[in-house]
Amino acid sequence: MRTSIATVSLSGSLTEKLTAAARAGFDGVEIFENDLLASPLTPEDIRARCADLGLSIDLYQPMRDIEAVPDEEFARNLRRARHKFELMRRLGTDTVLVCSSVHPLAEDDDALAAYHLRQLADLAQEFGIKVAYEALAWGRHVSTYDHAWRIVEAADHPALGTCLDSFHILARGSDPKGIADIPGEKIFFLQLADAPLMAMDVLQWSRHYRCFPGQGGLDVTGLLRHVIAAGYRGPLSLEVFNDVFRQAEAGPTAVDAHRSLLMLQESAGLAALPAPVVPTQVAFAELVTPDAEPVSALLGALGFARTARHRSKPVDLWQQGEARILVNTGPAARRDGTQLAAIGLESPDPDGAARRAESLLAPVLPRRRAAEDAPLDAVAAPDGTELFFCATDRPELPSWTTDFHPVPSPGQPARHVHRVDHLALTQPWHQFDEAALFHRTVLGLDARESVDVADPYGLFRSRPVANADGSVRIALSVGPAPTDDTARAQHIALATDDVVAAARAFRAAGGRLLAVPANYYDDLAARYEFTEAELETYRDLGILYDRDADGEFRHCYTETIGRVFFELVQRDADYRGYGAQNAPVRLAAQHVQRPGR
Ligand SMILES: O=C(O)c1ccc(O)c(O)c1
Ligand SMILES: [Mg+2]
Protein backbone atom coordinates (compact mmCIF):
# COMPACT_ATOMS: atom_id res chain seq x y z
CA MET A 1 0.00 0.00 0.00
CA ARG A 2 1.01 3.63 -0.36
CA THR A 3 2.96 4.98 2.59
CA SER A 4 2.86 8.47 3.99
CA ILE A 5 4.18 10.38 6.98
CA ALA A 6 3.01 13.50 8.79
CA THR A 7 5.63 16.23 8.79
CA VAL A 8 5.14 16.60 12.56
CA SER A 9 6.81 13.19 12.97
CA LEU A 10 10.21 14.43 11.77
CA SER A 11 12.78 16.95 12.95
CA GLY A 12 13.90 20.00 11.05
CA SER A 13 12.59 22.57 8.58
CA LEU A 14 9.81 21.61 6.18
CA THR A 15 12.40 21.15 3.42
CA GLU A 16 14.48 18.83 5.61
CA LYS A 17 11.41 16.82 6.55
CA LEU A 18 10.28 16.42 2.93
CA THR A 19 13.76 15.39 1.80
CA ALA A 20 14.08 12.83 4.59
CA ALA A 21 10.63 11.36 3.87
CA ALA A 22 11.38 11.02 0.17
CA ARG A 23 14.83 9.51 0.69
CA ALA A 24 13.41 6.95 3.10
CA GLY A 25 10.99 5.79 0.40
CA PHE A 26 7.67 7.31 1.48
CA ASP A 27 5.12 7.95 -1.28
CA GLY A 28 3.51 10.94 0.37
CA VAL A 29 3.25 13.31 3.31
CA GLU A 30 0.65 14.92 5.54
CA ILE A 31 1.57 18.57 5.87
CA PHE A 32 1.11 19.78 9.41
CA GLU A 33 -0.11 23.37 9.38
CA ASN A 34 2.61 24.74 11.65
CA ASP A 35 5.31 23.36 9.36
CA LEU A 36 3.80 25.29 6.47
CA LEU A 37 3.32 28.49 8.49
CA ALA A 38 6.97 28.43 9.57
CA SER A 39 8.30 27.75 6.09
CA PRO A 40 9.74 30.49 3.87
CA LEU A 41 8.54 28.52 0.83
CA THR A 42 5.32 29.55 -0.94
CA PRO A 43 2.62 26.90 -1.27
CA GLU A 44 3.55 26.66 -4.97
CA ASP A 45 7.22 26.08 -4.03
CA ILE A 46 6.19 23.36 -1.58
CA ARG A 47 4.03 21.72 -4.21
CA ALA A 48 6.93 21.79 -6.70
CA ARG A 49 9.41 20.52 -4.11
CA CYS A 50 7.15 17.59 -3.28
CA ALA A 51 6.66 16.82 -6.97
CA ASP A 52 10.44 16.90 -7.53
CA LEU A 53 10.89 14.52 -4.62
CA GLY A 54 8.17 12.20 -5.90
CA LEU A 55 5.94 12.88 -2.88
CA SER A 56 2.21 13.43 -3.02
CA ILE A 57 0.62 15.70 -0.42
CA ASP A 58 -1.97 13.34 0.95
CA LEU A 59 -3.42 15.50 3.71
CA TYR A 60 -3.40 19.03 5.07
CA GLN A 61 -3.91 19.14 8.83
CA PRO A 62 -5.40 19.97 11.21
CA MET A 63 -8.44 22.25 11.25
CA ARG A 64 -9.62 22.59 14.84
CA ASP A 65 -12.70 23.59 16.80
CA ILE A 66 -14.94 23.67 13.74
CA GLU A 67 -18.15 21.97 14.80
CA ALA A 68 -20.86 22.39 17.43
CA VAL A 69 -19.63 25.88 18.34
CA PRO A 70 -21.83 29.03 18.69
CA ASP A 71 -23.20 30.50 15.40
CA GLU A 72 -20.87 33.51 15.16
CA GLU A 73 -17.89 31.25 15.88
CA PHE A 74 -18.98 28.87 13.15
CA ALA A 75 -19.36 31.75 10.68
CA ARG A 76 -15.73 32.69 11.39
CA ASN A 77 -14.75 29.04 10.93
CA LEU A 78 -16.28 28.95 7.46
CA ARG A 79 -14.35 32.07 6.52
CA ARG A 80 -11.13 30.49 7.83
CA ALA A 81 -11.96 27.30 5.96
CA ARG A 82 -12.34 29.14 2.66
CA HIS A 83 -8.82 30.55 3.11
CA LYS A 84 -7.46 27.11 3.87
CA PHE A 85 -9.21 25.52 0.89
CA GLU A 86 -7.66 28.15 -1.38
CA LEU A 87 -4.29 27.37 0.16
CA MET A 88 -4.85 23.65 -0.38
CA ARG A 89 -5.64 24.29 -4.04
CA ARG A 90 -2.26 26.02 -4.36
CA LEU A 91 -0.59 23.11 -2.58
CA GLY A 92 -2.35 20.61 -4.79
CA THR A 93 -3.84 18.54 -2.01
CA ASP A 94 -7.45 17.44 -1.78
CA THR A 95 -8.04 16.16 1.77
CA VAL A 96 -8.21 18.18 4.97
CA LEU A 97 -8.27 16.79 8.48
CA VAL A 98 -10.74 18.22 10.95
CA CYS A 99 -10.26 17.06 14.50
CA SER A 100 -13.09 16.95 16.99
CA SER A 101 -13.72 20.17 18.84
CA VAL A 102 -12.11 20.94 22.18
CA HIS A 103 -13.68 24.43 22.21
CA PRO A 104 -14.94 25.41 25.68
CA LEU A 105 -18.25 26.57 24.19
CA ALA A 106 -18.77 23.50 22.01
CA GLU A 107 -22.14 21.91 22.59
CA ASP A 108 -22.87 18.29 23.25
CA ASP A 109 -25.17 18.13 20.25
CA ASP A 110 -24.53 15.56 17.53
CA ALA A 111 -27.18 17.04 15.25
CA LEU A 112 -25.52 20.46 15.42
CA ALA A 113 -22.07 18.91 14.83
CA ALA A 114 -23.42 17.04 11.80
CA TYR A 115 -25.11 20.19 10.49
CA HIS A 116 -21.87 22.19 10.77
CA LEU A 117 -19.73 19.51 9.19
CA ARG A 118 -22.23 19.23 6.36
CA GLN A 119 -21.93 22.96 5.68
CA LEU A 120 -18.15 22.71 5.78
CA ALA A 121 -18.29 19.78 3.36
CA ASP A 122 -20.53 21.82 1.02
CA LEU A 123 -17.90 24.54 0.88
CA ALA A 124 -15.07 22.02 0.52
CA GLN A 125 -16.85 20.40 -2.39
CA GLU A 126 -16.74 23.70 -4.33
CA PHE A 127 -12.95 23.41 -4.14
CA GLY A 128 -12.90 19.70 -4.93
CA ILE A 129 -11.78 19.03 -1.37
CA LYS A 130 -12.74 16.21 1.00
CA VAL A 131 -13.08 16.64 4.76
CA ALA A 132 -11.86 13.84 7.05
CA TYR A 133 -13.31 14.13 10.57
CA GLU A 134 -11.20 12.60 13.36
CA ALA A 135 -12.10 12.01 17.00
CA LEU A 136 -9.36 13.25 19.30
CA ALA A 137 -9.20 11.02 22.37
CA TRP A 138 -9.60 14.21 24.46
CA GLY A 139 -12.28 15.80 22.25
CA ARG A 140 -14.76 17.80 24.32
CA HIS A 141 -17.83 15.82 23.34
CA VAL A 142 -16.59 13.55 20.54
CA SER A 143 -13.69 11.38 21.64
CA THR A 144 -14.27 7.96 20.08
CA TYR A 145 -14.05 6.83 16.49
CA ASP A 146 -17.54 5.33 16.47
CA HIS A 147 -19.05 8.59 17.72
CA ALA A 148 -17.22 10.55 15.01
CA TRP A 149 -18.50 8.06 12.43
CA ARG A 150 -22.13 8.38 13.66
CA ILE A 151 -21.89 12.15 13.11
CA VAL A 152 -20.35 11.71 9.65
CA GLU A 153 -23.06 9.20 8.79
CA ALA A 154 -25.78 11.57 9.98
CA ALA A 155 -24.29 14.48 7.99
CA ASP A 156 -24.46 12.26 4.90
CA HIS A 157 -22.36 14.34 2.52
CA PRO A 158 -20.16 12.95 -0.27
CA ALA A 159 -17.30 15.32 0.66
CA LEU A 160 -17.35 14.27 4.32
CA GLY A 161 -15.77 11.10 5.68
CA THR A 162 -13.82 10.04 8.72
CA CYS A 163 -10.14 9.85 9.59
CA LEU A 164 -9.11 6.99 11.84
CA ASP A 165 -6.08 7.42 14.06
CA SER A 166 -4.81 4.26 15.75
CA PHE A 167 -3.51 6.18 18.77
CA HIS A 168 -6.84 7.82 19.67
CA ILE A 169 -8.71 4.57 19.16
CA LEU A 170 -6.39 2.24 21.06
CA ALA A 171 -5.36 4.71 23.77
CA ARG A 172 -8.98 5.01 24.83
CA GLY A 173 -9.35 1.25 24.82
CA SER A 174 -12.08 1.36 22.14
CA ASP A 175 -12.78 -1.95 20.45
CA PRO A 176 -11.54 -1.55 16.88
CA LYS A 177 -13.87 -4.32 15.64
CA GLY A 178 -16.55 -1.75 14.84
CA ILE A 179 -14.26 -0.23 12.17
CA ALA A 180 -15.17 -3.05 9.83
CA ASP A 181 -18.78 -1.72 9.82
CA ILE A 182 -17.72 1.65 8.37
CA PRO A 183 -17.95 1.63 4.55
CA GLY A 184 -14.34 1.68 3.30
CA GLU A 185 -14.97 4.61 0.97
CA LYS A 186 -16.08 6.71 3.96
CA ILE A 187 -12.72 6.19 5.69
CA PHE A 188 -10.99 9.11 4.03
CA PHE A 189 -7.68 8.72 5.86
CA LEU A 190 -5.78 6.44 8.22
CA GLN A 191 -3.16 7.72 10.66
CA LEU A 192 -0.97 5.18 12.43
CA ALA A 193 0.99 5.49 15.62
CA ASP A 194 1.94 3.22 18.47
CA ALA A 195 2.80 4.21 22.05
CA PRO A 196 4.36 2.58 25.09
CA LEU A 197 1.71 1.51 27.58
CA MET A 198 1.58 4.20 30.27
CA ALA A 199 -0.97 5.29 32.82
CA MET A 200 -1.14 9.02 32.13
CA ASP A 201 -3.25 11.83 30.76
CA VAL A 202 -4.11 10.88 27.20
CA LEU A 203 -3.32 14.29 25.67
CA GLN A 204 0.18 14.31 27.21
CA TRP A 205 0.66 10.70 26.19
CA SER A 206 -0.28 11.52 22.61
CA ARG A 207 1.72 14.72 22.27
CA HIS A 208 4.98 13.38 23.75
CA TYR A 209 5.18 9.60 23.66
CA ARG A 210 3.73 8.36 20.40
CA CYS A 211 6.13 6.10 18.53
CA PHE A 212 6.27 4.11 15.32
CA PRO A 213 4.17 0.94 15.02
CA GLY A 214 5.97 -1.98 16.65
CA GLN A 215 7.97 0.25 19.01
CA GLY A 216 5.21 0.50 21.61
CA GLY A 217 2.55 -1.67 23.18
CA LEU A 218 -0.61 -0.94 21.15
CA ASP A 219 -2.06 -3.53 18.77
CA VAL A 220 -1.70 -1.44 15.63
CA THR A 221 -1.60 -4.58 13.46
CA GLY A 222 -5.00 -5.75 14.74
CA LEU A 223 -6.47 -2.33 14.08
CA LEU A 224 -5.05 -2.22 10.56
CA ARG A 225 -6.66 -5.59 9.79
CA HIS A 226 -10.08 -4.14 10.66
CA VAL A 227 -9.47 -1.05 8.52
CA ILE A 228 -8.50 -3.21 5.55
CA ALA A 229 -11.52 -5.46 6.16
CA ALA A 230 -13.68 -2.32 5.94
CA GLY A 231 -12.30 -1.77 2.42
CA TYR A 232 -9.93 1.16 3.05
CA ARG A 233 -7.34 1.43 0.30
CA GLY A 234 -5.83 4.86 0.98
CA PRO A 235 -2.34 5.50 2.28
CA LEU A 236 -0.93 4.13 5.53
CA SER A 237 0.24 7.31 7.17
CA LEU A 238 2.37 7.74 10.26
CA GLU A 239 1.47 10.57 12.60
CA VAL A 240 3.88 10.48 15.53
CA PHE A 241 4.25 13.27 18.06
CA ASN A 242 7.40 12.36 19.98
CA ASP A 243 9.83 14.50 21.95
CA VAL A 244 12.84 12.38 20.98
CA PHE A 245 12.10 12.28 17.25
CA ARG A 246 11.62 16.05 17.26
CA GLN A 247 15.31 16.32 18.16
CA ALA A 248 16.84 13.39 16.32
CA GLU A 249 18.16 13.66 12.79
CA ALA A 250 15.31 13.44 10.28
CA GLY A 251 17.05 11.13 7.81
CA PRO A 252 17.54 8.08 10.06
CA THR A 253 14.20 8.67 11.80
CA ALA A 254 12.42 8.57 8.45
CA VAL A 255 14.13 5.29 7.56
CA ASP A 256 13.12 3.80 10.93
CA ALA A 257 9.58 5.06 10.30
CA HIS A 258 9.42 3.44 6.89
CA ARG A 259 10.81 0.19 8.26
CA SER A 260 8.03 0.15 10.84
CA LEU A 261 5.41 0.45 8.09
CA LEU A 262 7.00 -2.42 6.15
CA MET A 263 6.89 -4.51 9.30
CA LEU A 264 3.33 -3.53 9.98
CA GLN A 265 2.24 -4.53 6.49
CA GLU A 266 4.00 -7.85 6.89
CA SER A 267 2.37 -8.55 10.25
CA ALA A 268 -1.08 -7.59 8.93
CA GLY A 269 -0.61 -9.93 5.96
CA LEU A 270 -0.47 -7.08 3.41
CA ALA A 271 3.09 -7.68 2.23
CA ALA A 272 5.43 -10.63 2.01
CA LEU A 273 9.06 -10.01 2.95
CA PRO A 274 11.88 -12.56 2.98
CA ALA A 275 11.35 -14.60 6.16
CA PRO A 276 13.52 -13.82 9.19
CA VAL A 277 16.50 -16.13 9.64
CA VAL A 278 17.14 -16.37 13.37
CA PRO A 279 20.82 -16.57 14.34
CA THR A 280 21.89 -19.63 16.33
CA GLN A 281 25.08 -18.45 18.04
CA VAL A 282 27.50 -15.60 18.40
CA ALA A 283 30.26 -16.61 16.00
CA PHE A 284 32.53 -13.76 17.05
CA ALA A 285 32.68 -10.32 18.59
CA GLU A 286 35.09 -7.86 16.99
CA LEU A 287 36.89 -5.24 19.04
CA VAL A 288 38.71 -2.39 17.41
CA THR A 289 41.50 -0.88 19.42
CA PRO A 290 44.33 1.56 18.79
CA ASP A 291 46.49 -0.37 21.25
CA ALA A 292 46.43 -4.16 21.15
CA GLU A 293 48.57 -4.47 24.27
CA PRO A 294 46.03 -3.98 27.11
CA VAL A 295 43.33 -5.83 25.18
CA SER A 296 45.66 -8.79 24.58
CA ALA A 297 46.64 -8.79 28.25
CA LEU A 298 42.99 -8.83 29.30
CA LEU A 299 42.04 -11.60 26.88
CA GLY A 300 45.07 -13.62 27.91
CA ALA A 301 44.14 -13.30 31.60
CA LEU A 302 40.61 -14.41 30.76
CA GLY A 303 42.11 -17.58 29.31
CA PHE A 304 41.89 -16.78 25.60
CA ALA A 305 44.69 -17.77 23.26
CA ARG A 306 45.60 -15.92 20.11
CA THR A 307 45.01 -18.70 17.58
CA ALA A 308 45.00 -17.03 14.17
CA ARG A 309 45.74 -13.87 12.25
CA HIS A 310 43.89 -12.37 9.30
CA ARG A 311 45.70 -13.00 6.03
CA SER A 312 45.74 -9.37 4.92
CA LYS A 313 44.64 -7.16 7.79
CA PRO A 314 45.80 -6.31 11.31
CA VAL A 315 43.17 -8.52 12.90
CA ASP A 316 43.86 -11.31 15.40
CA LEU A 317 41.52 -14.11 16.37
CA TRP A 318 41.47 -15.00 20.07
CA GLN A 319 39.63 -18.12 21.06
CA GLN A 320 38.50 -20.10 24.08
CA GLY A 321 35.96 -22.87 23.60
CA GLU A 322 33.32 -21.49 21.23
CA ALA A 323 34.00 -17.90 22.29
CA ARG A 324 35.87 -15.98 19.59
CA ILE A 325 37.07 -12.41 19.84
CA LEU A 326 38.58 -10.55 16.93
CA VAL A 327 40.99 -7.76 17.80
CA ASN A 328 41.31 -5.23 15.00
CA THR A 329 44.03 -2.58 15.11
CA GLY A 330 43.20 -1.17 11.68
CA PRO A 331 42.45 2.48 10.79
CA ALA A 332 38.94 2.56 12.39
CA ALA A 333 40.57 1.76 15.70
CA ARG A 334 42.86 4.74 15.60
CA ARG A 335 39.83 6.91 14.93
CA ASP A 336 37.35 5.52 17.45
CA GLY A 337 39.31 4.06 20.36
CA THR A 338 38.61 0.65 21.87
CA GLN A 339 35.07 -0.49 21.17
CA LEU A 340 32.94 -3.36 20.06
CA ALA A 341 32.55 -2.67 16.36
CA ALA A 342 31.11 -5.84 14.89
CA ILE A 343 29.27 -9.01 15.79
CA GLY A 344 29.36 -12.24 13.81
CA LEU A 345 26.04 -14.04 14.03
CA GLU A 346 26.05 -17.71 13.12
CA SER A 347 23.20 -18.00 10.63
CA PRO A 348 21.44 -21.05 9.20
CA ASP A 349 21.13 -19.07 5.94
CA PRO A 350 23.47 -16.05 5.80
CA ASP A 351 22.24 -14.98 2.37
CA GLY A 352 18.58 -15.18 3.44
CA ALA A 353 19.34 -13.23 6.61
CA ALA A 354 20.93 -10.47 4.53
CA ARG A 355 17.96 -10.37 2.14
CA ARG A 356 15.61 -10.03 5.10
CA ALA A 357 17.71 -7.19 6.48
CA GLU A 358 17.90 -5.45 3.13
CA SER A 359 14.14 -5.67 2.62
CA LEU A 360 13.77 -3.88 5.96
CA LEU A 361 16.06 -1.04 4.88
CA ALA A 362 19.07 -2.06 6.95
CA PRO A 363 22.18 -0.54 5.37
CA VAL A 364 23.96 -3.41 3.61
CA LEU A 365 27.75 -3.37 3.87
CA PRO A 366 30.11 -4.51 1.12
CA ARG A 367 30.26 -8.33 0.95
CA ARG A 368 34.03 -8.50 0.85
CA ARG A 369 36.18 -6.15 2.83
CA ALA A 370 39.10 -7.07 0.54
CA ALA A 371 39.21 -8.89 -2.82
CA GLU A 372 40.65 -12.09 -1.39
CA ASP A 373 38.30 -12.26 1.62
CA ALA A 374 35.52 -14.83 1.91
CA PRO A 375 32.18 -13.23 0.98
CA LEU A 376 30.33 -12.21 4.13
CA ASP A 377 26.89 -10.69 4.29
CA ALA A 378 26.74 -7.80 6.71
CA VAL A 379 24.42 -4.96 7.66
CA ALA A 380 24.68 -2.03 10.04
CA ALA A 381 22.49 -1.98 13.15
CA PRO A 382 20.97 1.38 14.15
CA ASP A 383 23.90 2.10 16.51
CA GLY A 384 26.39 1.46 13.70
CA THR A 385 27.50 -1.96 14.97
CA GLU A 386 28.28 -4.16 11.97
CA LEU A 387 26.33 -7.42 12.00
CA PHE A 388 27.86 -10.23 9.97
CA PHE A 389 25.69 -13.18 9.00
CA CYS A 390 28.19 -15.97 8.95
CA ALA A 391 28.94 -19.64 8.80
CA THR A 392 31.75 -21.06 10.90
CA ASP A 393 33.53 -24.11 9.49
CA ARG A 394 30.42 -25.49 7.78
CA PRO A 395 31.45 -27.39 4.66
CA GLU A 396 28.52 -26.25 2.50
CA LEU A 397 29.22 -22.52 2.97
CA PRO A 398 32.23 -20.22 2.78
CA SER A 399 33.63 -19.80 6.27
CA TRP A 400 34.91 -16.48 7.59
CA THR A 401 37.66 -18.45 9.35
CA THR A 402 39.36 -19.17 6.02
CA ASP A 403 40.49 -15.53 5.99
CA PHE A 404 42.65 -16.36 8.99
CA HIS A 405 45.80 -18.41 9.17
CA PRO A 406 46.68 -20.21 12.38
CA VAL A 407 49.49 -18.83 14.49
CA PRO A 408 51.51 -20.88 16.91
CA SER A 409 50.22 -20.16 20.36
CA PRO A 410 52.15 -20.75 23.54
CA GLY A 411 50.19 -23.48 25.29
CA GLN A 412 46.53 -24.39 25.16
CA PRO A 413 43.73 -21.93 25.78
CA ALA A 414 42.16 -22.33 29.21
CA ARG A 415 38.79 -23.98 29.55
CA HIS A 416 36.96 -21.67 31.89
CA VAL A 417 34.92 -19.93 29.22
CA HIS A 418 33.01 -21.93 26.66
CA ARG A 419 30.99 -19.38 24.73
CA VAL A 420 29.64 -15.85 24.62
CA ASP A 421 26.70 -15.61 27.03
CA HIS A 422 25.51 -12.22 25.83
CA LEU A 423 26.60 -8.93 24.37
CA ALA A 424 25.55 -5.65 25.92
CA LEU A 425 25.35 -2.64 23.64
CA THR A 426 24.56 0.91 24.68
CA GLN A 427 22.46 2.70 22.12
CA PRO A 428 22.43 6.32 21.02
CA TRP A 429 19.80 8.13 23.17
CA HIS A 430 17.43 8.68 20.27
CA GLN A 431 17.54 5.14 18.97
CA PHE A 432 16.69 2.86 21.85
CA ASP A 433 13.16 1.92 20.80
CA GLU A 434 14.25 1.55 17.22
CA ALA A 435 17.13 -0.73 18.21
CA ALA A 436 14.70 -3.15 19.86
CA LEU A 437 12.41 -3.09 16.82
CA PHE A 438 15.39 -3.64 14.51
CA HIS A 439 16.72 -6.64 16.42
CA ARG A 440 13.23 -8.14 16.65
CA THR A 441 12.23 -7.71 13.06
CA VAL A 442 15.47 -7.86 11.12
CA LEU A 443 17.09 -10.64 13.17
CA GLY A 444 13.91 -12.38 14.34
CA LEU A 445 14.88 -12.16 18.03
CA ASP A 446 12.30 -11.89 20.84
CA ALA A 447 12.34 -8.74 22.97
CA ARG A 448 11.59 -8.75 26.67
CA GLU A 449 10.19 -5.82 28.64
CA SER A 450 12.55 -2.94 29.24
CA VAL A 451 13.73 -2.32 32.79
CA ASP A 452 14.98 0.84 34.47
CA VAL A 453 18.41 0.64 36.08
CA ALA A 454 19.65 3.39 38.41
CA ASP A 455 23.16 4.68 37.88
CA PRO A 456 24.56 7.15 40.47
CA TYR A 457 24.51 9.84 37.78
CA GLY A 458 21.34 9.01 35.87
CA LEU A 459 19.02 6.30 34.76
CA PHE A 460 19.61 3.52 32.26
CA ARG A 461 16.91 1.70 30.40
CA SER A 462 17.75 -1.82 29.35
CA ARG A 463 15.90 -4.22 27.07
CA PRO A 464 17.22 -7.67 26.19
CA VAL A 465 16.57 -9.42 22.89
CA ALA A 466 17.29 -13.13 22.45
CA ASN A 467 16.54 -16.14 20.32
CA ALA A 468 14.28 -18.90 21.67
CA ASP A 469 16.94 -21.08 23.29
CA GLY A 470 19.01 -18.19 24.60
CA SER A 471 22.05 -19.08 22.50
CA VAL A 472 22.05 -15.50 21.16
CA ARG A 473 21.34 -12.75 23.67
CA ILE A 474 21.88 -9.04 23.21
CA ALA A 475 21.14 -6.56 25.99
CA LEU A 476 20.30 -3.16 24.53
CA SER A 477 20.47 -0.20 26.83
CA VAL A 478 20.46 3.55 26.81
CA GLY A 479 22.32 5.59 29.37
CA PRO A 480 21.82 8.95 30.99
CA ALA A 481 24.26 11.46 29.52
CA PRO A 482 25.75 10.65 26.15
CA THR A 483 29.03 12.26 27.19
CA ASP A 484 29.43 9.99 30.20
CA ASP A 485 31.79 7.05 29.61
CA THR A 486 29.69 4.52 31.52
CA ALA A 487 26.71 5.58 29.44
CA ARG A 488 28.61 4.48 26.33
CA ALA A 489 30.21 1.32 27.72
CA GLN A 490 29.69 -1.98 25.94
CA HIS A 491 30.43 -5.40 27.25
CA ILE A 492 30.99 -8.99 26.30
CA ALA A 493 29.66 -11.54 28.78
CA LEU A 494 31.44 -14.89 28.70
CA ALA A 495 29.72 -18.09 29.80
CA THR A 496 31.48 -20.26 32.35
CA ASP A 497 30.37 -23.30 34.35
CA ASP A 498 32.31 -22.14 37.39
CA VAL A 499 32.55 -18.41 37.89
CA VAL A 500 34.63 -18.77 41.05
CA ALA A 501 37.29 -20.81 39.30
CA ALA A 502 37.21 -18.53 36.24
CA ALA A 503 37.52 -15.39 38.39
CA ARG A 504 40.36 -16.89 40.43
CA ALA A 505 42.25 -17.92 37.30
CA PHE A 506 41.72 -14.45 35.82
CA ARG A 507 43.11 -12.80 38.93
CA ALA A 508 46.02 -15.26 39.17
CA ALA A 509 46.90 -14.33 35.59
CA GLY A 510 47.12 -10.66 36.54
CA GLY A 511 43.58 -9.59 35.70
CA ARG A 512 41.77 -6.95 37.79
CA LEU A 513 38.20 -7.64 38.87
CA LEU A 514 35.69 -4.92 39.64
CA ALA A 515 35.50 -4.47 43.42
CA VAL A 516 32.02 -4.59 44.91
CA PRO A 517 31.17 -2.82 48.21
CA ALA A 518 30.81 -4.88 51.40
CA ASN A 519 27.28 -3.52 51.87
CA TYR A 520 26.20 -5.55 48.86
CA TYR A 521 27.36 -8.76 50.55
CA ASP A 522 25.67 -7.84 53.83
CA ASP A 523 22.47 -7.59 51.84
CA LEU A 524 23.13 -10.96 50.14
CA ALA A 525 23.60 -12.49 53.59
CA ALA A 526 20.24 -11.04 54.63
CA ARG A 527 18.41 -12.30 51.59
CA TYR A 528 19.93 -15.75 51.03
CA GLU A 529 21.41 -18.51 53.13
CA PHE A 530 25.01 -18.56 51.96
CA THR A 531 27.69 -19.98 54.19
CA GLU A 532 30.20 -17.44 55.48
CA ALA A 533 32.86 -19.11 53.30
CA GLU A 534 30.78 -18.68 50.15
CA LEU A 535 30.07 -15.05 50.96
CA GLU A 536 33.75 -14.44 51.65
CA THR A 537 34.64 -15.93 48.27
CA TYR A 538 32.08 -13.75 46.48
CA ARG A 539 33.17 -10.65 48.39
CA ASP A 540 36.80 -11.33 47.61
CA LEU A 541 36.20 -11.79 43.89
CA GLY A 542 33.40 -9.22 43.42
CA ILE A 543 30.92 -11.89 42.38
CA LEU A 544 27.30 -10.76 42.21
CA TYR A 545 24.35 -13.06 42.67
CA ASP A 546 20.76 -13.27 41.49
CA ARG A 547 18.09 -15.92 41.70
CA ASP A 548 14.56 -16.21 40.38
CA ALA A 549 12.01 -19.02 40.17
CA ASP A 550 13.91 -20.50 37.20
CA GLY A 551 17.44 -20.62 38.53
CA GLU A 552 20.57 -18.89 39.75
CA PHE A 553 22.95 -16.39 38.18
CA ARG A 554 26.47 -15.49 39.32
CA HIS A 555 28.60 -12.89 37.58
CA CYS A 556 31.61 -10.60 37.92
CA TYR A 557 33.29 -7.91 35.87
CA THR A 558 36.70 -6.95 34.55
CA GLU A 559 38.09 -3.46 34.33
CA THR A 560 37.13 -1.33 31.33
CA ILE A 561 39.36 -0.57 28.34
CA GLY A 562 38.04 2.27 26.18
CA ARG A 563 34.34 1.53 25.96
CA VAL A 564 34.67 -2.20 26.57
CA PHE A 565 34.68 -4.52 29.57
CA PHE A 566 34.06 -8.23 30.07
CA GLU A 567 31.73 -10.12 32.37
CA LEU A 568 32.09 -13.71 33.54
CA VAL A 569 28.69 -15.33 33.80
CA GLN A 570 27.55 -18.58 35.37
CA ARG A 571 23.86 -19.07 34.64
CA ASP A 572 21.52 -21.95 35.33
CA ALA A 573 20.04 -23.17 32.06
CA ASP A 574 16.55 -21.86 32.81
CA TYR A 575 17.50 -18.49 34.27
CA ARG A 576 16.68 -16.01 31.51
CA GLY A 577 17.71 -12.72 33.10
CA TYR A 578 20.90 -10.70 33.27
CA GLY A 579 21.12 -9.90 36.97
CA ALA A 580 19.47 -6.51 36.35
CA GLN A 581 18.92 -5.91 40.05
CA ASN A 582 22.72 -5.96 40.52
CA ALA A 583 23.32 -3.45 37.74
CA PRO A 584 23.06 -0.32 39.95
CA VAL A 585 25.82 -1.71 42.21
CA ARG A 586 27.97 -2.59 39.22
CA LEU A 587 27.48 0.86 37.63
CA ALA A 588 28.37 2.61 40.88
CA ALA A 589 31.49 0.44 41.24
CA GLN A 590 32.53 1.28 37.69
CA HIS A 591 32.26 5.00 38.43
CA VAL A 592 34.50 4.49 41.47
CA GLN A 593 37.06 2.52 39.48
CA ARG A 594 37.25 5.09 36.72
CA PRO A 595 40.13 7.52 36.99
CA GLY A 596 39.09 11.10 37.62
CA ARG A 597 36.22 10.44 40.04
O1 LIG B 1 -2.62 16.60 19.24
C1 LIG B 1 -3.23 17.15 18.34
O2 LIG B 1 -3.64 18.32 18.41
C2 LIG B 1 -3.58 16.39 17.12
C3 LIG B 1 -3.71 17.02 15.90
C4 LIG B 1 -4.02 16.29 14.77
C5 LIG B 1 -4.17 14.93 14.83
O3 LIG B 1 -4.43 14.15 13.77
C6 LIG B 1 -3.99 14.29 16.06
O4 LIG B 1 -4.12 12.96 16.09
C7 LIG B 1 -3.69 15.00 17.18
MG1 LIG C 1 -4.36 12.06 14.24
Side-chain angles (χ1 to χ4, degrees), residues 30 32 61-62 64 97 99 134 136 138 163 165 168 191 203 206-207 210 239 241:
E30 301 176 27
F32 197 68
Q61 69 130 326
R64 299 181 189 273
L97 179 116
C99 43
E134 173 193 35
L136 295 180
W138 55 90
C163 167
D165 179 320
H168 297 300
Q191 294 177 319
L203 184 150
S206 176
R207 294 256 172 96
R210 286 190 183 207
E239 186 198 32
F241 304 83

Side-chain angles (χ1 to χ4, degrees), residues 98 113-114 117-118 120-121 129-133 149 151-162 185-186 188:
V98 170
L117 288 172
R118 194 183 159 80
L120 182 74
I129 282 170
K130 296 184 293 177
V131 174
Y133 181 54
W149 162 238
I151 291 170
V152 167
E153 196 177 24
D156 189 26
H157 193 289
L160 180 68
T162 190
E185 70 280 2
K186 292 303 266 184
F188 281 2

Side-chain angles (χ1 to χ4, degrees), residues 546-562:
D546 186 33
R547 177 199 291 173
D548 63 17
D550 301 318
E552 293 182 298
F553 188 70
R554 293 174 174 81
H555 54 147
C556 62
Y557 296 89
T558 71
E559 66 197 292
T560 304
I561 300 178

Side-chain angles (χ1 to χ4, degrees), residues 579-595:
Q581 62 156 330
N582 296 328
V585 175
R586 185 259 295 172
L587 287 161
Q590 287 177 320
H591 280 288
V592 170
Q593 189 189 58
R594 202 163 280 283

